[in-house]
């Protein structure tokens, strides 16, 4: 079926899509991201069905958007969503780590880079491995951002606290000799509250920064 969010039409597969078929919790963040990329070249790693990418192009007026995801079905849906909204976006079926490394080798820099990977920390046994994946992806993503560019990075791992996520991203920047001018850390919309007795419910973390 199709839904409309912020004036954009999306095709949603409730039966076989990830989570509920569409990440409604990112609604406000998609709108915020769009407001910051007018005229920009954008790289969206782990784009799923194209939510951030289409918003950046259609609402934000981004000059060029490249969107990457490993899930072939998700990329196909993202392409359909782009077509539904008459937006030209370069959707790429590839592993985000591999694609980012290729961009680094090519010396390609973007005005804005968005990282919205799947949950890297599924259980406590995989905590350290998940942290390493967040660190490595952020390190690669930062290498794709031009100096002074926008860097937005997300985590949907409930076991990863906001403070630890921020620490991991800062550490990745330091490894690259980069500084981050952190503007905010946001989460899901008001329709996704979490209980004070269950901090893991604060699963979605979105860090907004300028990569210096």
């Amino acid at each position: 079926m199709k839904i409309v969010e912020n004036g954009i039409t999306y095709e949603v597969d409730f039966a076989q899509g990830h989570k509920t078929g569409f990440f409604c919790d990112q609604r406000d963040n998609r709108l915020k991201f769009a407001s910051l990329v007018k005229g920009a070249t954008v790289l969206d790693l782990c784009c799923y069905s194209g939510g951030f990418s289409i918003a950046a192009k259609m609402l934000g007026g981004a000059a060029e958007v490249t969107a990457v995801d490993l899930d072939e079905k998700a990329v196909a849906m993202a392409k359909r969503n782009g077509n539904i909204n008459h937006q030209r976006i370069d959707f790429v079926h590839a592993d985000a780590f591999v694609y980012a490394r290729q961009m680094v080798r090519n010396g390609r820099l973007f005005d804005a880079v968005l990282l919205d990977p799947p949950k890297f920390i599924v259980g406590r046994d995989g905590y350290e491995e998940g942290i390493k994946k967040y660190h490595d992806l952020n390190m690669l993503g930062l290498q794709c951002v031009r100096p002074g560019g926008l860097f937005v990075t997300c985590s949907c791992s409930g076991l990863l606290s906001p403070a630890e996520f921020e620490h991991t991203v800062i550490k990745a920047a330091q490894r690259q000799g980069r500084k981050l001018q952190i503007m905010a850390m946001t989460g899901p919309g008001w329709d996704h509250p979490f209980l004070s007795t269950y901090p893991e419910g604060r699963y979605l973390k979105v860090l907004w920064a300028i990569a210096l």
Side-chain angles (χ1 to χ4, degrees):
M1 68 172 295
K2 294 177 182 177
I3 65 168
V4 177
E5 176 192 88
N6 296 321
I8 302 174
T9 301
Y10 296 100
E11 180 181 306
V12 179
D13 186 345
F14 291 109
Q16 298 183 4
H18 299 308
K19 201 177 178 181
T20 57
F22 188 75
F23 295 98
C24 301
D25 50 3
Q26 289 278 30
R27 179 188 62 247
D28 296 344
N29 294 315
R30 282 189 279 265
L31 195 59
K32 180 178 178 69
F33 184 70
S35 73
L36 299 172
V37 296
K38 185 175 178 60
T41 55
V42 176
L43 175 61
D44 179 4
L45 292 175
C46 306
C47 68
Y48 188 49
S49 58
F52 276 102
S53 297
I54 297 170
K57 186 77 171 180
M58 185 171 174
L59 303 180
E64 176 187 327
V65 180
T66 302
V68 182
D69 203 281
L70 182 59
D71 187 331
E72 190 172 4
K73 290 183 179 179
V75 172
M77 185 180 292
K79 288 180 178 179
R80 290 195 296 272
N81 285 333
N83 291 335
I84 289 169
N85 293 283
H86 310 290
Q87 300 301 313
R88 288 190 61 185
I89 295 168
D90 184 15
F91 287 108
V92 181
H93 175 222
D95 178 271
F97 290 88
V98 174
Y99 189 86
R101 289 190 188 100
Q102 186 62 52
M103 293 300 99
V104 173
R105 285 194 292 269
N106 294 347
R108 177 71 195 277
L109 296 175
F110 296 82
D111 298 322
V113 171
L114 175 100
L115 309 179
D116 189 15
K119 185 189 296 185
F120 283 155
I121 303 174
V122 179
R124 297 190 185 280
D125 290 345
Y127 187 85
E128 293 302 324
E129 181 182 352
I131 286 286
K132 186 177 186 304
K133 286 183 179 179
Y134 281 117
H135 175 273
D136 291 351
L137 183 61
N138 278 276
M139 196 162 62
L140 285 166
L142 279 163
Q143 292 179 75
C144 296
V145 188
R146 68 166 177 79
L150 177 66
F151 183 64
V152 182
T153 178
C154 312
S155 167
C156 60
S157 297
L159 292 173
L160 181 62
S161 71
E164 184 61 26
F165 179 55
E166 182 177 295
H167 173 74
T168 301
V169 176
I170 291 173
K171 186 177 178 182
Q174 291 174 338
R175 286 283 299 276
Q176 294 300 316
R178 305 285 295 270
K179 293 180 181 178
L180 296 176
Q181 187 176 45
I182 297 174
M183 300 179 289
M185 183 181 288
T186 58
W190 282 50
D191 52 352
H192 284 69
F194 68 96
L195 291 170
S196 60
T197 53
Y198 184 64
E200 290 87 350
R202 193 178 180 183
Y203 65 97
L204 180 61
K205 298 158 286 285
V206 185
L207 188 146
W208 305 76
I210 299 299
L212 303 175

